Amino acid sequence: MLPRKRASEGGVVVEEESDNTTANAASFSKKARIGCFAACSGAGAAESAGNDSGLGFGSGGGGDNSGGNSIGGMALGNSHPAEIDEDLHSRQLAVYGRETMRRLFASSVLVSGMRGLGVEIAKNLILAGVKSVTLHDEGTVELWDLSSNFVFSENDVGKNRAVASVSKLQELNNAVVVLSLTTKLTKEQLSNFQAVVFTEISLEKAIEFNDYCHSHQPPIAFIKTEVRGLFGSLFCDFGPEFTVFDVDGEDPHTGIIASISNDNPALVSCVDDERLEFQDGDLVVFSEVHGMKELNDGKPRKIKNARAYSFTLEEDTTNYGRYEKGGIVTQVKQPKVLNFKPLKEALSDPGDFLLSDFSKFDRPPLLHLAFQALDKFVSEMGRFPVAGSEDDAQKLISIASNINGNLGDGRLEDVNPKLLRQFAFGARAVLNPMAAMFGGIVGQEVVKACSGKFHPLFQFFYFDSVESLPTEPLDPNDLKPLNSRYDAQISVFGQKLQKKLEDAEVFVVGSGALGCEFLKNLALMGVSCGQGNMTITDDDVIEKSNLSRQFLFRDWNIGQAKSTVAASAATSINPHLNIEALQNRVGPETENVFHDTFWENLSVVINALDNVNARLYVDQRCLYFQKPLLDSGTLGAKCNTQMVIPHLTENYGASRDPPEKQAPMCTVHSFPHNIDHCLTWARSEFEGLLEKTPAEVNAYLSNPNEYTNAMRNAGDAQARDNLERVLECLDKEKCETFEDCITWARLKFEDYFANRVKQLIYTFPEDAATSTGAPFWSAPKRFPHPLQFSSSDLGHLQFLMAASILRAETFGIPIPDWVKNPKKLAAAVDRVILPDFQPKKDAKIVTDEKATSLSTASVDDAAVINDLIVKLEGCRTKLQPEFRMKPIQFEKDDDTNYHMDLIAGLANMRARNYSIPEVDKLKAKFIAGRIIPAIATSTAMATGLVCLELYKVLDGGHKVEDYRNTFANLALPLFSMAEPVPPKVIKHQDMSWTVWDRWILKDNPTLRELLEWLKAKGLIAYSISCGSCLLYNSMFPKHKERMDKKIVDLAREVAKVDIPSYRCHLDIVVACEDDEDNDIDIPQVSIYFR
């Protein structure tokens, strides 16, 4: 039983107090409004105040520390701080931080032109959570628009595009005001917005609007973008002087100092724990330097000669104090001011274009010319060029040539008529994959404009994917519209490829953020909307945090199966989609569901997964069945795509990233030097105290004899530790009242943050030395200090509140309301009696970085285990027979369950021990909860790029140089596209093969027939195995008796293989050599017996 002070015999008595100790917090909320109005008016926001009683962690941090109400001279709208729904936006907060999110919440954006590109941009902005999005379009919905706009249905034909878009876009986020504007825009209306985006605007009008925005005070961010068939353009102007506060979104790099020389310039060396990420010219600040204290003044200093573990400081330290020990060096991120040119000036002097594909180095200047020519064509003809019309194409080429001829020294040597012809043919069409890709890029640029977070695109970006066109020449008649929803796509690719898309058998693995985007794209493209079928699978259910980017889900879908809801939403986008939704994880255990016939019938597999192991399994299946695999992934503003094409490219598993470096166990448990170590330890302690130990207690109580016998048989340090924890829970630390839980929490505080540290510095005092004579407490180790508990310290109380509440949960003890009152909790805590603590002389503290366990084996473990079991039996007899504990599984996404409060409390108190900067609960959630940063924009871009590759895959006949793998970072922005790496080729005589090849023998052959089949290829098989069992070896005479047996029968008899009914073949591994006894690595051999 736990010791505690008793105010009365019945337990701690806490009188009700009349004074109000809770804090009032003003809560800003935005009421969703749907409307259509003829003239843009400012969107008001309702404010409401609410009471927030109780203790909670502060809301600072979140990775964004810049303040103020204006960015680069741009207006930020309403200056009231908006309340951030951290459950909804946690993944986005991990990318942007709180300050950026607040700026977004205060930003109003205009999106003009609601065809496919406009709706994609609006979708991404609404998911991001801007204050308001106004949709502008004067035109009406045509059947043609259904190729690329996911909110339109055939019932919307004839309605205004903006009006038809409002209600479905509003569903994405009720905290954003979504409005429509259907009349002609005037310059003056633009002053209502922080950013304006135009997707369907003439150059003349764009220049007029841009001049107004550029000269407005404060400037209005102006973006002009369009997608024309397989070509896209983007122009940004954020004003004459735009300040970028964070150019890349990365945390400042740091290093732990090992030495600093007294030189001019000074050489700074850092510990080789981790490579330095500094670059020449970076500014850094120093802290915690002992000896050379002159550097601790907080002044930024420039560095040069940056190396992996050292750099030179441009400063004379000759007369500074001599460096003794310690010190942290931290990069200082500098704001950057960009001077944007207005559109009129930039057209004639575009500067450097942002490149995406280095194999098309000369393409941006040509497309710069092509888009100007198209604008002139449309202004002269009043329409876009007609797909397949040679006359229109020649007119566009002529216009482009004339513009080029007037450029003087800047003219192009070749206007590339073939490319301009392709440009003209597809100019009217907005393709969904192009809209998705540019919707992601433009959405991110708007976020940059409204927040100053990440480096804007400066200023032109052009892109094309002409490689996506069919390899066979297109007949102009094949491009004519059929009065179908796919007419825009047919005008680019033709009817034959459209038929291939509709008849494709597609497997989409995963229906999270990537999966939702893919389903939308595929439905609009008409994939599996004819004779083909689509299968989507995901074993996960919808959570609130999914809604900020998994846009097919709504709040009323929380708790439902992702795949089912996503499939239903996709069929509402295109009712012709033939889709089956499954809830199976793809892996060896579900090969009865995803069987051989399933894989053999597929046209293509699209990965929408979030973990490497699942990707590797799907990759092996695609390799085995020779199916194309289109893979993609995102991490914050970064995304990548990889095309895995049978016989053309290497497979996904052919190259892997190195594993993440793990901190040694002794570092985490005794010698942390950063907050990550503290949070890793906190998560481990949480699981040990609240999940593993209660589960061990229940395992023991459910079957005492079986449990104790298992511990006796194990007889090791782990078994001893388990029994000690179970005994503690049921004896010394058993809680029967909530006051017991408070006492337990107070004793844990003392143990963790005072006694253990006292023991550590007793065993290793500050002047301790290693066996080599070096100081024990040298970098990266930090000398700790025990904490002195104070009930007036809010951080201490927060830890105790969370710990006592969760301890009570495990014992099923009711939680009183007064625990959330700081004064009453402090009064209860102050009554706890603390036992005296004396450090042990013989305490063993693990310092070996290679150690994998903190438990130390002992020769008398068996005797101790027996003694513990006897004591446990004594405890059990005092318990009610039905007594069980309630293990708590860590759940990071529920801010009301106190899980993150406890983990943040554990980590921050430990950080105080070691003088490590503390973090708020949100940052703690990112690290301890291992939250993967995610935003809608990078997801949209990745899926758009993959779907451009899908055209190539389903058309067939493309070469490896036609495909593209991509890495992109929207924060920089950086786009790097390259053709995939081909597979390694193995040659033998006149044959060659790769990892993609599988040799197939049909008609259920015998062992003799297999050997002869191989011999005909010049290969002598000396060993044949199935699984881990040998079916044949030429060295064993008895094996010659097996010659006339069917291989499948040998597998059943010798290898005891149980072949399931759905499998019609057997895989064997054959070791071969040639006539000169050289080993030849041959492909896997498959024996078909059914």
Side-chain angles (χ1 to χ4, degrees):
M1 204 56 62
L2 293 159
R4 61 181 184 271
K5 292 181 183 174
R6 295 177 181 271
S8 70
E9 252 184 278
V12 175
V13 177
V14 182
E15 299 292 330
E16 284 297 323
E17 294 176 12
S18 57
D19 61 318
N20 183 9
T21 59
T22 61
N24 291 332
S27 134
F28 178 85
S29 64
K30 285 180 281 187
K31 302 285 175 75
R33 293 188 294 172
I34 304 174
C36 172
F37 66 127
C40 241
S41 60
E47 271 192 65
S48 63
N51 293 330
D52 183 12
S53 62
L55 293 162
F57 279 86
S59 60
D64 196 339
N65 298 315
S66 49
N69 289 327
S70 68
I71 300 295
M74 291 176 55
L76 285 186
N78 194 322
S79 62
H80 291 290
E83 185 180 299
I84 300 171
D85 185 339
E86 292 181 4
D87 286 348
L88 176 65
H89 290 295
S90 60
R91 275 58 175 176
Q92 188 170 302
L93 275 163
V95 181
Y96 294 144
R98 280 198 182 89
E99 192 56 42
T100 293
M101 291 289 290
R102 289 194 183 103
R103 288 174 184 150
L104 285 180
F105 284 4
S107 299
S108 297
V109 182
L110 170 74
V111 179
S112 176
M114 290 312 295
R115 288 194 165 95
L117 177 54
V119 79
E120 289 287 337
I121 296 166
K123 173 204 71 182
N124 294 329
L125 294 174
I126 292 166
L127 290 172
V130 295
K131 177 182 175 183
S132 73
V133 175
T134 300
L135 315 174
H136 169 254
D137 203 309
E138 297 168 51
T140 56
V141 178
E142 306 168 54
L143 192 61
W144 181 273
D145 296 327
L146 270 61
S147 251
S148 59
N149 188 311
F150 67 91
V151 302
F152 294 160
S153 68
E154 293 186 17
N155 295 332
D156 293 318
V157 173
K159 297 178 184 175
N160 175 272
R161 288 194 196 99
V163 174
S165 303
V166 170
S167 62
K168 286 185 181 175
L169 288 175
Q170 182 67 75
E171 287 179 3
L172 298 176
N173 188 346
N174 282 323
V176 176
V177 180
V178 182
L179 302 161
S180 63
L181 177 61
T182 61
T183 57
K184 196 168 185 177
L185 271 180
T186 63
K187 290 184 296 186
E188 291 70 30
Q189 287 173 307
L190 304 184
S191 62
N192 293 315
F193 306 99
Q194 279 69 51
V196 294
V197 182
F198 293 91
T199 67
E200 306 271 347
I201 190 173
S202 69
L203 261 181
E204 183 184 5
K205 201 70 181 171
I207 289 168
E208 178 192 341
F209 284 169
N210 175 241
D211 285 344
Y212 177 83
C213 292
H214 190 85
S215 58
H216 190 273
Q217 289 300 323
I220 301 161
F222 175 92
I223 296 174
K224 179 185 183 300
T225 181
E226 51 189 323
V227 291
R228 303 293 171 202
L230 289 165
F231 298 80
S233 77
L234 171 58
F235 169 79
C236 296
D237 172 14
F238 296 171
E241 287 188 2
F242 180 80
T243 303
V244 185
F245 288 107
D246 184 352
V247 294
D248 59 10
E250 304 293 338
D251 288 334
H253 301 305
T254 62
I256 300 170
I257 296 167
S259 68
I260 307 173
S261 68
N262 290 88
D263 283 319
N264 184 17
L267 176 67
V268 181
S269 298
C270 293
V271 299
D272 57 3
D273 191 50
E274 284 185 12
R275 293 174 66 90
L276 295 175
E277 299 290 338
F278 299 143
Q279 295 181 348
D280 287 6
D282 277 356
L283 293 177
V284 298
V285 292
F286 292 82
S287 59
E288 302 180 27
V289 177
H290 291 253
M292 199 179 286
K293 293 184 178 179
E294 292 88 345
L295 294 179
N296 292 332
D297 56 6
K299 172 184 151 189
R301 291 170 164 86
K302 188 176 280 191
I303 68 168
K304 62 181 182 179
N305 300 329
R307 300 287 184 268
Y309 303 106
S310 67
F311 58 86
T312 303
L313 196 61
E314 290 189 343
E315 189 162 346
D316 184 358
T317 60
T318 309
N319 297 320
Y320 289 5
R322 184 168 294 279
Y323 173 81
E324 294 172 6
K325 65 174 183 177
I328 305 288
V329 58
T330 305
Q331 177 192 29
V332 178
K333 301 191 77 171
Q334 294 293 297
K336 181 177 180 180
V337 177
L338 295 174
N339 308 118
F340 286 88
K341 289 184 283 193
L343 178 59
K344 187 175 183 179
E345 184 183 332
L347 275 172
S348 56
D349 182 17
D352 293 331
F353 295 103
L354 177 63
L355 269 178
S356 61
D357 188 335
F358 284 95
S359 69
K360 301 178 180 179
F361 192 82
D362 57 347
R363 192 65 55 86
L366 180 59
L367 296 183
H368 187 64
L369 179 67
F371 275 93
Q372 291 179 68
L374 178 64
D375 177 76
K376 191 168 175 59
F377 180 102
V378 173
S379 67
E380 288 181 7
M381 304 293 291
R383 61 171 176 82
F384 284 99
V386 174
S389 168
E390 292 295 344
D391 289 345
D392 283 358
Q394 287 307 315
K395 181 169 179 61
L396 184 83
I397 293 166
S398 173
I399 293 171
S401 298
N402 289 338
I403 296 172
N404 187 50
N406 295 326
L407 290 179
D409 293 341
R411 67 174 173 269
L412 306 179
E413 290 182 12
D414 178 20
V415 296
N416 197 336
K418 181 184 176 184
L419 188 80
L420 290 179
R421 180 175 174 271
Q422 292 167 328
F423 179 66
F425 281 8
R428 187 188 165 205
V430 177
L431 298 174
N432 167 259
M434 290 290 294
M437 174 194 169
F438 270 79
I441 298 170
V442 176
Q444 195 64 59
E445 292 307 307
V446 174
V447 170
K448 296 173 186 179
C450 295
S451 67
K453 181 88 168 181
F454 302 156
H455 196 293
L457 195 151
F458 192 83
Q459 290 186 255
F460 281 104
F461 174 64
Y462 292 100
F463 173 83
D464 75 86
S465 183
V466 289
E467 301 81 16
S468 296
L469 289 169
T471 50
E472 295 294 320
L474 288 166
D475 181 347
N477 291 323
D478 202 31
L479 305 176
K480 289 181 178 176
L482 302 174
N483 196 33
S484 84
R485 61 179 295 142
Y486 312 119
D487 280 350
Q489 189 165 260
I490 289 170
S491 75
V492 177
F493 295 102
Q495 298 168 24
K496 289 176 186 172
L497 181 54
Q498 185 60 46
K499 181 79 165 59
K500 290 179 181 179
L501 293 174
E502 292 176 33
D503 294 347
E505 298 287 332
V506 180
F507 186 24
V508 180
V509 191
S511 58
L514 286 165
C516 285
E517 286 284 343
F518 275 127
L519 283 188
K520 174 257 297 175
N521 296 353
L522 297 172
L524 290 170
M525 293 163 69
V527 175
S528 304
C529 293
Q531 299 298 312
N533 292 283
M534 186 181 298
T535 304
I536 183 161
T537 190
D538 195 311
D539 66 342
D540 202 3
V541 296
I542 298 163
E543 300 172 0
K544 186 177 180 181
S545 63
N546 302 147
L547 304 181
S548 66
R549 63 204 184 285
Q550 299 176 21
F551 78 102
L552 296 181
F553 307 145
R554 305 289 177 264
D555 52 7
W556 57 83
N557 297 133
I558 291 171
Q560 297 174 16
K562 282 186 175 181
S563 59
T564 306
V565 175
S568 174
T571 54
S572 70
I573 292 171
N574 187 345
H576 302 292
L577 179 65
N578 305 314
I579 186 167
E580 180 184 11
L582 303 174
Q583 285 82 51
N584 302 93
R585 183 186 293 265
V586 180
E589 68 279 6
T590 55
E591 287 182 8
N592 61 324
V593 178
F594 307 110
H595 43 67
D596 294 9
T597 307
F598 172 83
W599 285 98
E600 285 164 354
N601 289 337
L602 292 175
S603 309
V604 65
V605 180
I606 299 174
N607 266 353
L609 291 161
D610 61 359
N611 70 89
V612 172
N613 289 336
R615 283 187 171 98
L616 289 171
Y617 174 79
V618 174
D619 176 55
Q620 285 303 308
R621 295 273 87 190
C622 289
L623 199 60
Y624 187 86
F625 292 101
Q626 301 184 22
K627 299 298 176 184
L629 170 64
L630 310 186
D631 189 78
S632 55
T634 69
L635 181 68
K638 305 180 186 81
C639 69
N640 72 283
T641 67
Q642 181 177 352
M643 303 305 110
V644 178
I645 311 299
H647 306 289
L648 293 183
T649 74
E650 67 177 10
N651 61 310
Y652 173 82
S655 56
R656 301 202 202 165
D657 293 331
E660 286 188 28
K661 188 178 178 183
Q662 300 289 325
M665 187 171 287
C666 67
T667 299
V668 170
H669 284 270
S670 299
F671 309 109
H673 53 80
N674 61 41
I675 196 65
D676 290 46
H677 296 155
C678 298
L679 283 160
T680 301
W681 171 82
R683 171 85 183 260
S684 172
E685 290 301 311
F686 178 100
E687 289 173 349
L689 291 171
L690 301 171
E691 183 182 359
K692 291 178 182 175
T693 299
E696 286 286 329
V697 169
N698 291 349
Y700 166 67
L701 294 175
S702 299
N703 200 329
N705 290 334
E706 186 179 312
Y707 184 87
T708 53
N709 286 337
M711 294 298 112
R712 279 196 187 98
N713 292 336
D716 57 8
Q718 185 63 56
R720 185 192 70 211
D721 284 356
N722 287 346
L723 287 167
E724 284 174 347
R725 290 203 310 271
V726 172
L727 183 61
E728 275 183 346
C729 242
L730 296 178
D731 185 18
K732 289 189 294 182
E733 296 184 358
K734 186 171 185 295
C735 297
E736 295 176 349
T737 65
F738 191 79
E739 288 75 16
D740 288 343
C741 299
I742 289 176
T743 303
W744 174 85
R746 175 65 185 89
L747 293 176
K748 277 293 171 194
F749 183 99
E750 201 66 17
D751 175 41
Y752 283 144
F753 311 121
N755 297 348
R756 291 191 190 187
V757 176
K758 290 174 184 175
Q759 179 65 65
L760 182 62
I761 60 179
Y762 177 82
T763 305
F764 300 111
E766 194 165 7
D767 58 357
T770 64
S771 56
T772 61
F776 179 84
W777 292 103
S778 59
K781 289 188 180 76
R782 300 172 71 89
F783 186 76
H785 301 278
L787 297 187
Q788 178 69 45
F789 179 81
S790 168
S791 57
S792 61
D793 187 311
L794 197 59
H796 294 185
L797 277 187
Q798 287 167 341
F799 166 81
L800 287 176
M801 180 185 70
S804 55
I805 286 173
L806 292 175
R807 182 68 168 179
E809 276 187 32
T810 62
F811 279 96
I813 296 168
I815 298 161
D817 289 338
W818 57 260
V819 71
K820 297 168 190 175
N821 181 311
K823 287 187 179 178
K824 295 177 182 179
L825 178 61
V829 170
D830 286 341
R831 297 187 182 99
V832 176
I833 301 168
L834 293 177
D836 291 333
F837 173 78
Q838 289 295 326
K840 298 176 184 173
K841 290 185 178 180
D842 57 349
K844 292 179 181 177
I845 297 173
V846 177
T847 58
D848 181 5
E849 292 194 352
K850 294 178 182 176
T852 56
S853 172
L854 297 178
S855 303
T856 51
S858 169
V859 289
D860 56 353
D861 276 342
V864 172
I865 285 170
N866 280 325
D867 185 43
L868 289 169
I869 288 171
V870 171
K871 290 178 180 176
L872 259 181
E873 286 301 306
C875 284
R876 187 168 65 88
T877 57
K878 300 173 188 174
L879 296 173
Q880 295 291 327
E882 67 279 2
F883 174 80
R884 295 290 184 276
M885 292 189 72
K886 295 175 183 173
I888 296 173
Q889 267 195 319
F890 174 59
E891 171 49 60
K892 61 182 177 290
D893 284 323
D894 179 358
D895 279 344
T896 65
N897 63 12
Y898 293 97
H899 295 192
M900 278 312 309
D901 296 85
L902 178 56
I903 285 178
L906 281 164
N908 282 332
M909 294 307 102
R910 188 168 178 79
R912 287 188 195 180
N913 282 139
Y914 289 87
S915 304
I916 294 169
E918 298 174 36
V919 291
D920 71 343
K921 193 171 83 172
L922 182 65
K923 183 80 180 205
K925 182 197 283 193
F926 297 155
I927 301 169
R930 300 172 193 128
I931 285 177
I932 298 172
I935 46 178
T937 49
S938 54
T939 306
M941 181 185 176
T943 59
L945 286 165
V946 169
C947 289
L948 287 172
E949 301 300 307
L950 182 63
Y951 289 126
K952 305 171 190 177
V953 170
L954 294 179
D955 175 59
H958 284 74
K959 298 174 182 176
V960 67
E961 53 264 30
D962 293 330
Y963 288 95
R964 292 290 183 273
N965 290 346
T966 302
F967 171 77
N969 186 343
L970 291 175
L972 299 177
L974 166 75
F975 307 107
S976 177
M977 307 181 81
E979 65 182 67
V981 177
K984 180 184 175 185
V985 178
I986 298 168
K987 294 185 178 180
H988 169 68
Q989 294 180 356
D990 58 347
M991 296 182 293
S992 64
W993 57 84
T994 70
V995 68
W996 283 103
D997 289 290
R998 179 162 59 105
W999 287 352
I1000 294 172
L1001 277 82
K1002 296 191 173 179
D1003 303 325
N1004 199 10
T1006 62
L1007 177 56
R1008 187 187 305 278
E1009 288 168 340
L1010 170 62
L1011 295 175
E1012 288 173 355
W1013 185 81
L1014 290 166
K1015 192 173 182 181
K1017 295 179 179 290
L1019 296 165
I1020 301 161
Y1022 60 83
S1023 175
I1024 300 171
S1025 58
C1026 180
S1028 58
C1029 198
L1030 200 61
L1031 301 185
Y1032 168 78
N1033 190 295
S1034 60
M1035 301 288 288
F1036 299 158
K1038 273 205 157 192
H1039 283 192
K1040 291 183 180 174
E1041 297 171 7
R1042 302 175 177 177
M1043 283 293 189
D1044 295 315
K1045 287 195 172 186
K1046 302 285 188 184
I1047 292 170
V1048 67
D1049 294 335
L1050 281 175
R1052 286 182 175 127
E1053 294 167 18
V1054 179
K1056 308 298 182 192
V1057 173
D1058 181 21
I1059 303 171
S1061 58
Y1062 57 81
R1063 179 144 295 156
C1064 55
H1065 72 273
L1066 177 79
D1067 297 321
I1068 56 174
V1069 177
V1070 184
C1072 292
E1073 59 189 14
D1074 61 15
D1075 296 333
E1076 297 175 359
D1077 297 338
N1078 297 311
D1079 275 343
I1080 306 295
D1081 187 12
I1082 72 165
Q1084 191 172 45
V1085 177
S1086 293
I1087 306 296
Y1088 278 73
F1089 56 87
R1090 287 189 180 127

